[in-house]
Amino acid sequence: MLDAAVIRAVDMTFALVYRAKSGGDTTIVTWDHHFDPKPGADFTATNYAVDEDGVAGPTFAEGDLLVFRYTATNATATTCWTPNGDGVKGGGEIPSFTFPK
């Protein structure tokens, strides 16, 4: 169990990257966000939604990948931020992305 006394704020950098099967990565968008801990021992999910402008992505082909990259930029704990770590049990949502047509 996590100790509320050691929970700290965390700054995150997020990125969506197009990875072609033929090789090479193209960064579609990156953004930063700061998360503060909830008061007390509240470890339920902190839902987060954002709209970001990115570069026009290439046409996806079979075998290409969309990579969701996330990095804590000011933390030493490996569990300082987890996408949907507890799922619906903790009030979380599965990360999802919507692209313009």
Side-chain angles (χ1 to χ4, degrees), residues 30-82:
T30 62
W31 70 98
D32 298 308
H33 188 76
H34 175 85
F35 292 94
D36 284 317
K38 293 180 177 181
D42 182 353
F43 298 110
T44 58
T46 299
N47 290 322
Y48 170 65
V50 64
D51 289 328
E52 294 289 337
D53 292 329
V55 300
T59 302
F60 281 78
E62 185 175 336
D64 293 348
L65 299 173
L66 178 66
V67 178
F68 175 42
R69 193 174 286 156
Y70 52 93
T71 306
T73 59
N74 68 334
T76 56
T78 58
T79 57
C80 61
W81 190 89
T82 305

Side-chain angles (χ1 to χ4, degrees), residues 1 3 6 9 19 21 48 51 53-54 56-57 60 71 94 101:
M1 180 81 167
D3 180 0
V6 299
R19 180 170 292 158
K21 181 180 178 182
Y48 170 65
D51 289 328
D53 292 329
F60 281 78
T71 306
I94 296 171
K101 295 183 183 216

